[in-house]
Amino acid sequence: MITLHGKGVYGGIAIGHLSFFRRGGFHVRRHTVSNAEAELRRFHKAKEKAIRELEELYEKAVRDIGESGAQIFEIHRMMLEDDDYNDSVINAIRAERVNAEYAVSTASENFSVVFSSMDDPYMKARAADIRDISNRLIRALAGKPSDSVRSEEEASIICADDLAPSETMQLDRDKVSAFITAEGSVNSHTAILARTMGIPAVVDVGETLLGVADGTEAIVDGFTGKVYLSPDSETKARMTARQEEDRKAKALLQKYKGMENITKDGTKIEIFANIQGLREVGAALMNDAGGIGLFRSEFLYLDRNSFPDEEEQFQVYKTVLQSMGGKKVVIRTLDIGADKQVPYFGLEKEENPAMGMRAIRICLTRPEIFRPQLRALLRASVFGKLAIMFPMITSVEEMSDIRRTVSDIQRELGREGIPYSPDTEFGIMIETPAAAIISDRLAPLVDFFSVGTNDLTQYTLALDRQNPGIASFFDPHHEAVLRLIAMATENAHRHGKWIGICGELGADTELTETFLRMGIDELSVSPAYILRLRDKIRNTDLRNSKKGKK
Ligand code: PEP
Ligand code: MG
């Protein structure tokens, strides 16, 4: 048995077999083949297999995310049948008598270079598609299943060097019991996704993981951050008992369903859910969320090759609002940039993307992206209780600019005879120190604040949330962050506005009492944490607590 030590991201135990997530990176060797015709037959067979996979993926995506989101698989199928691409592979096999894998990887390199040198961002983005279809072909040639069409019935423990948020999105949730990454940090969006999905995950276990064989039996302990490879029978028995204990503890929390979030002394607070898309609405409802406190709308833009248009977005927002049946739904406008990179946005490469062109900065400089999202949101507003939230605000001017754009779109919709709700709330994330410090001036311009503690901590402490190497300097309870939250709370309340916390700190039960004392009105957390938080709140009595605790 080997024990790997990493950082637990979501508490839970998974016992199963490892399944590696590979994204290309194949080491393709060149060798000469004696029979070029036989090699061509291998190529054609692999191509047929790849096409079948893409057809399956297309069907599945249509069911899961709708026609327009599924388009990418149709595009990939067409690219696989492209004459120029195929001729290039076939010629190399015939003329140079090289193996099919090598011919495919050379075609991939040549075509992707051509696409990435184009000016048009749409064409540039095709380079990634070329690599993607070529990797699929190489996998088919090697007789390996593709990354996302695993046929095993058993849910597996997904392993990877690291996973981008878009890759985590691709995982078939019914077939994933846990995930482990060699790198990665506990505050990354991938870690947040694991919590939202409610599956055990351990990050930063180190390179050893990458040398382990696919299919190895393993146990993931998301509580301690340990991963046991080929566990011995004693460990297996101990962890099976721990898994059962955890299952019982989670089942016990069910008794809190339908109860109020109220302390023993009568202080009330709202608990809402953080979601990434429609897929988590069920979990929010099942865990008795009072509403949605953060819908990270940028996830609609990930893992695809073109912008979701106004209509597609409208349908998603409308469905969330309708599903929540009149409960408040806070939808954040897109927060692309930093770790959430999307090639078709055509953004310049930056030295320091977390401080670069991200979130509201993209929206305010690219109205062709911002306006369709705002139109979709305002159109959807009549289907429920909508609140629109803007990320990464640092100045009063930005807020005034946003307000002007919103009024302009409302007038436009009015002229077109399209209804929108006059009751929609508008708020901002407090996730930069600047926003917290000038929260007295921002409060009159908004209906609410929601504190993004993930970024607020990163920017206040000058600690990159993506970098596991500096984790030892990271103090999530740092006084500076807590003071900024207290300052924003006072300013919100002075102006009669509500304030919530939607960063990961909101779920930290060591701070629940502190937040209650500050007067925070709402905590928005991953659905799996709602009942645990309710348990904590209902067992808190602010009359008994130590003085001066803030
Ligand atoms: C935050 O920064 O705390 C937040 C909620 O936003 P995100 O994690 O999506 O950056
Ligand atoms: Mg943030």
Side-chain angles (χ1 to χ4, degrees):
M1 178 175 89
I2 298 174
T3 307
L4 303 178
H5 299 263
K7 297 189 183 84
V9 156
Y10 177 74
I13 311 284
I15 304 177
H17 293 88
L18 303 183
S19 178
F20 276 84
F21 183 87
R22 291 196 175 82
R23 67 181 72 75
F26 290 92
H27 296 296
V28 172
R29 295 217 184 95
R30 176 192 168 120
H31 61 84
T32 313
V33 292
S34 52
N35 185 343
E37 288 311 309
E39 198 60 12
L40 280 174
R41 280 197 296 278
R42 267 188 78 226
F43 168 65
H44 286 301
K45 234 174 116 194
K47 195 171 103 183
E48 275 166 27
K49 180 168 184 282
I51 288 174
R52 272 198 310 277
E53 283 178 5
L54 286 167
E55 285 168 351
E56 270 179 44
L57 280 171
Y58 176 80
E59 298 290 321
K60 182 176 177 299
V62 168
R63 285 194 305 272
D64 288 358
I65 51 175
E67 184 82 39
S68 55
Q71 279 296 323
I72 181 61
F73 300 115
E74 179 60 9
I75 294 173
H76 279 195
R77 192 188 57 74
M78 280 162 27
M79 289 173 96
L80 259 180
E81 288 177 336
D82 177 74
D83 285 344
D84 291 335
Y85 179 81
N86 276 279
D87 287 350
S88 154
V89 176
I90 293 168
N91 287 342
I93 297 176
R94 276 222 173 97
E96 298 171 46
R97 303 186 85 78
V98 290
N99 52 321
E101 287 87 344
Y102 183 78
V104 169
S105 78
T106 310
S108 169
E109 242 164 71
N110 295 345
F111 280 77
S112 56
V113 167
V114 171
F115 279 114
S116 36
S117 60
M118 293 184 179
D119 286 336
D120 178 354
Y122 178 82
M123 296 310 281
K124 246 187 176 36
R126 300 281 77 79
D129 296 318
I130 285 285
R131 284 193 293 272
D132 210 334
I133 60 157
S134 305
N135 287 335
R136 188 175 293 285
L137 271 173
I138 294 171
R139 273 194 301 267
L141 281 162
K144 291 193 176 159
S146 96
D147 291 343
S148 27
V149 223
R150 294 179 186 277
S151 55
E152 307 101 78
E153 280 311 306
E154 183 205 347
S156 17
I157 299 171
I158 300 294
C159 303
D161 46 358
D162 201 358
L163 286 168
S166 60
E167 290 170 334
T168 316
M169 288 250 305
Q170 281 175 36
L171 301 175
D172 181 346
R173 297 182 188 192
D174 300 332
K175 300 261 174 69
V176 181
S177 60
F179 71 76
I180 318 171
T181 58
E183 299 158 27
S185 83
V186 292
N187 286 310
S188 67
H189 281 96
T190 303
I192 292 172
L193 262 171
R195 288 193 275 268
T196 311
M197 287 157 69
I199 58 169
V202 176
V203 299
D204 197 21
V205 298
E207 295 254 307
T208 320
L209 176 71
L210 306 177
V212 180
D214 220 330
T216 302
E217 192 180 18
I219 300 177
V220 179
D221 182 347
F223 294 103
T224 60
K226 284 187 187 159
V227 176
Y228 304 97
L229 301 173
S230 308
D232 53 36
S233 51
E234 186 272 318
T235 308
K236 230 167 151 177
R238 188 166 48 83
M239 295 312 290
T240 306
R242 179 77 185 89
Q243 189 180 40
E244 183 52 20
E245 198 183 292
D246 178 44
R247 198 193 56 72
K248 281 193 187 139
K250 283 182 179 140
L252 265 182
L253 289 176
Q254 297 299 311
K255 72 172 185 217
Y256 288 111
K257 277 194 185 171
M259 291 190 186
E260 267 191 303
N261 309 306
I262 185 166
T263 58
K264 288 189 184 300
D265 58 288
T267 307
K268 289 188 191 170
I269 189 165
E270 300 275 10
I271 308 184
F272 284 11
N274 289 349
I275 62 168
Q276 260 71 249
L278 284 178
R279 284 200 285 194
E280 289 92 14
V281 174
L285 289 169
M286 263 163 48
N287 286 287
D288 211 14
I292 301 294
L294 170 64
F295 175 167
R296 290 181 163 95
S297 74
E298 61 274 12
F299 278 79
L300 289 175
Y301 294 72
L302 299 181
D303 197 23
R304 54 189 295 152
N305 284 324
S306 58
F307 292 98
D309 64 15
E310 177 185 322
E311 189 56 30
E312 181 182 345
Q313 293 193 56
F314 164 69
Q315 292 299 341
V316 173
Y317 304 147
K318 173 180 159 189
T319 310
V320 175
L321 284 158
Q322 283 178 329
S323 315
M324 291 306 293
K327 291 180 174 170
K328 191 179 286 182
V329 175
V330 180
I331 303 182
R332 176 174 79 183
T333 58
L334 65 92
D335 184 4
I336 289 295
D339 64 322
K340 288 172 282 194
Q341 292 294 332
V342 185
Y344 65 82
F345 271 63
L347 298 173
E348 296 288 324
K349 190 168 169 4
E350 295 172 301
E351 281 297 312
N352 200 347
M355 297 197 182
M357 191 50 103
R358 77 173 270 203
I360 203 66
R361 298 173 184 170
I362 298 178
C363 290
L364 290 176
T365 49
R366 308 259 307 257
E368 76 283 9
I369 298 176
F370 197 28
R371 292 180 73 100
Q373 180 168 41
L374 287 174
R375 277 184 61 102
L377 284 164
L378 290 171
R379 282 173 56 199
S381 63
V382 292
F383 295 94
K385 200 167 174 192
L386 176 66
I388 304 177
M389 175 158 75
F390 303 98
M392 285 295 291
I393 297 296
T394 55
S395 74
V396 167
E397 290 69 32
E398 283 165 348
M399 198 53 223
S400 314
D401 209 351
I402 292 167
R403 281 289 197 184
R404 267 194 301 277
T405 306
V406 170
S407 303
D408 190 42
I409 292 176
Q410 285 172 329
R411 277 194 299 275
E412 188 177 271
L413 290 174
R415 280 195 303 275
E416 292 170 23
I418 299 175
Y420 60 88
S421 168
D423 301 324
T424 305
E425 290 185 51
F426 295 91
I428 57 169
M429 305 245 343
I430 300 288
E431 56 182 344
T432 62
I437 294 164
I438 60 164
S439 52
D440 57 332
R441 296 192 53 216
L442 288 166
L445 304 176
V446 299
D447 298 308
F448 67 94
F449 288 154
S450 185
V451 185
T453 52
N454 311 332
D455 278 313
L456 186 62
T457 307
Q458 143 164 281
Y459 296 128
T460 305
L461 306 184
L463 280 170
D464 179 358
R465 66 193 264 194
Q466 295 295 116
N467 184 349
I470 48 175
S472 60
F473 295 96
F474 186 80
D475 172 7
H477 298 182
H478 198 293
E479 192 188 342
V481 176
L482 296 177
R483 282 204 209 176
L484 288 174
I485 301 175
M487 185 189 282
T489 308
E490 266 178 48
N491 287 326
H493 289 166
R494 190 169 303 139
H495 291 273
K497 310 298 163 78
W498 66 268
I499 179 165
I501 296 180
C502 62
E504 297 300 288
L505 218 52
D508 185 335
T509 46
E510 283 180 36
L511 286 175
T512 309
E513 189 181 319
T514 308
F515 294 147
L516 284 161
R517 287 180 172 283
M518 277 185 197
I520 294 286
D521 302 288
E522 172 246 33
L523 296 169
S524 189
V525 299
S526 296
Y529 288 158
I530 293 175
L531 296 176
R532 206 185 67 172
L533 197 51
R534 181 170 296 162
D535 174 23
K536 173 73 188 176
I537 291 162
R538 293 182 67 89
N539 285 300
T540 299
D541 191 338
L542 297 181
R543 289 166 305 196
N544 297 342
S545 312
K546 289 169 227 137
K547 269 204 207 128
K549 224 186 163 198
K550 242 209 170 174

